[in-house]
Amino acid sequence: FTGGRRVDVPDRPRELVATRGPGASPMDPRVRLLRGAVPALFVAALVLVGAVFFRALGSGTGDLAVGHETAVTAAVAERPQRVCLVEDAAPCAWLSVVDGRLLALSTSGSIPAEHGRQGVGWCPSSGYYGSNTTGSRYDPKGRLVTGPASRGLDRYAVQVDDEGLVRVVFSDRTAGPPARRGPAPTAPAGADCETIPFDWAPDLVLD
């Protein structure tokens, strides 16, 4: 506009300040605490998951004092008996006498379907171990006879201490022999079980 009047604006000092954006300040104690707590919780979760994972893969810890060697040998002379490190919970083993020696075979096969409460039972008519869920069969030494399992039954160490007590060392486990390798399996003593009885409670109880 030609007739307008010019207005002078006074020159005021200006200062730039850092913007903090919406939300709480990064210097707020609560924000700083949260920033430290989140990574710590994440690391703790990883440690917990790792501990559960490796515990599941492991063979168990510690050993189990079963009883005096004479009493244990007499108890398993006729048939294998189950023993567990913790009552009614894995790891468990079938304790038997094979070739004059005490043998502890895992009650779980090499595949997940043969673990836990679907584990490997003992058939009294054939003298074989087997899984009802997969059809795998194992001879008295734990060697795979037939079925989808990739190897025989794992074996726990058996020790006799200075006092004559038999101990099953669940922390000392040897992987079962690969399928179809080594000596031929022992022939069955009789007919196979259509359904192998499996009681989760340990069989061997000595006073």
Side-chain angles (χ1 to χ4, degrees):
F1 298 96
T2 57
R5 188 180 61 174
R6 181 177 179 181
V7 178
D8 294 330
V9 178
D11 187 14
R12 291 177 298 180
R14 299 176 181 179
E15 181 181 354
L16 297 176
V17 295
T19 180
R20 294 178 178 176
S25 169
M27 301 307 294
D28 189 315
R30 293 172 297 177
V31 175
R32 299 176 66 181
L33 178 62
L34 184 61
R35 284 184 172 181
V38 170
L41 289 174
F42 179 73
V43 172
L46 287 179
V47 172
L48 179 61
V49 171
V52 172
F53 178 75
F54 285 109
R55 179 176 176 82
L57 290 180
S59 59
T61 57
D63 57 4
L64 174 69
V66 181
H68 195 275
E69 183 179 14
T70 303
V72 173
T73 302
V76 301
E78 297 297 326
R79 63 175 295 258
Q81 303 278 345
R82 276 177 11 99
V83 294
C84 297
L85 180 60
V86 180
E87 185 177 359
D88 295 347
C92 298
W94 283 108
L95 195 60
S96 63
V97 175
V98 178
D99 296 336
R101 298 179 57 184
L102 287 169
L103 181 66
L105 297 173
S106 174
T107 60
S108 294
S110 61
I111 52 181
E114 298 178 359
H115 290 183
R117 294 184 181 273
Q118 302 179 51
V120 175
W122 181 75
C123 173
S125 59
S126 67
Y128 275 5
Y129 301 99
S131 168
N132 292 322
T133 57
T134 66
S136 294
R137 294 293 183 266
Y138 306 88
D139 77 356
K141 294 184 178 180
R143 295 175 295 198
L144 181 67
V145 178
T146 185
S150 60
R151 65 175 189 270
L153 298 177
D154 293 349
R155 179 181 304 186
Y156 296 110
V158 178
Q159 299 176 351
V160 180
D161 63 18
D162 295 337
E163 298 178 358
L165 287 176
V166 174
R167 296 183 178 274
V168 178
V169 186
F170 286 98
S171 57
D172 185 356
R173 183 175 67 182
T174 302
R180 292 173 291 278
R181 293 186 185 178
T186 304
D192 187 27
C193 294
E194 183 175 348
T195 300
I196 298 176
F198 187 84
D199 185 1
W200 187 247
D203 301 308
L204 184 58
V205 179
L206 297 177
D207 297 330

